Amino acid sequence: MDILAISKTLATVAKVKKISDNEYEILTEAKINSKTPIKMYLYEGHNGVMLGDRKHTLKYMNQLYELKSPDVKGCIASVIKIYGFSIVSGELVASIVSDKFALETFYNYIICVGQLANMYAFFDKP
């Protein structure tokens, strides 16, 4: 798996800014709400090439939800399970297995962040 090939694939749909040899910032117009952009970073991790958010999504969610609540934890787990993503040390991460699946993972990541940020629709109180 080649991070350069994956970054070139993502550059067809988003602005890709090189941060270092092993990391890129992915810039899009996608927003959690009308003011908060969805942050994404492409980097080489222990399990290959990863798409992550540097804990941005959970920091945003912490303003809306009681993240330690069993109901909220269960909802978060259910949403990320749908996409096969995980939360590692507070960061929402997705493994990109090849450049062939880079766009699918990218779009699913945006949808997943949107679903997590809008979980309040499922609760009587956030």
Side-chain angles (χ1 to χ4, degrees):
M1 190 165 21
D2 180 18
I3 193 167
L4 182 58
I6 292 170
S7 70
K8 286 180 180 180
T9 299
L10 293 179
T12 64
V13 295
K15 184 176 180 185
V16 178
K17 179 181 170 187
K18 188 173 186 174
I19 297 173
S20 70
D21 287 341
N22 299 331
E23 186 173 17
Y24 298 83
E25 183 175 12
I26 311 302
L27 304 165
T28 73
E29 296 296 319
K31 292 182 171 50
I32 292 173
N33 57 34
S34 62
K35 299 175 187 170
T36 308
I38 294 177
K39 303 271 186 170
M40 288 183 276
Y41 299 87
L42 183 70
Y43 59 90
E44 289 183 4
H46 298 295
N47 298 326
V49 179
M50 309 298 287
L51 191 59
D53 67 352
R54 292 188 177 163
K55 303 180 184 182
H56 186 262
T57 303
L58 283 182
K59 285 179 184 176
Y60 175 82
M61 291 176 65
N62 194 44
Q63 298 170 21
L64 300 173
Y65 309 107
E66 176 55 50
L67 295 181
K68 293 182 181 180
S69 162
D71 289 343
V72 173
K73 282 182 176 181
C75 193
I76 291 169
S78 294
V79 170
I80 64 173
K81 183 179 179 180
I82 291 168
Y83 299 99
F85 299 161
S86 58
I87 294 179
V88 179
S89 300
E91 179 178 30
L92 178 64
V93 294
S95 177
I96 301 178
V97 295
S98 76
D99 59 325
K100 183 193 296 189
F101 297 105
L103 291 178
E104 179 181 347
T105 303
F106 168 78
Y107 288 122
N108 281 337
Y109 196 91
I110 291 171
I111 294 167
C112 181
V113 170
Q115 288 180 332
L116 290 170
N118 292 304
M119 286 187 331
Y120 61 83
F122 300 105
F123 299 106
D124 292 333
K125 288 182 173 178

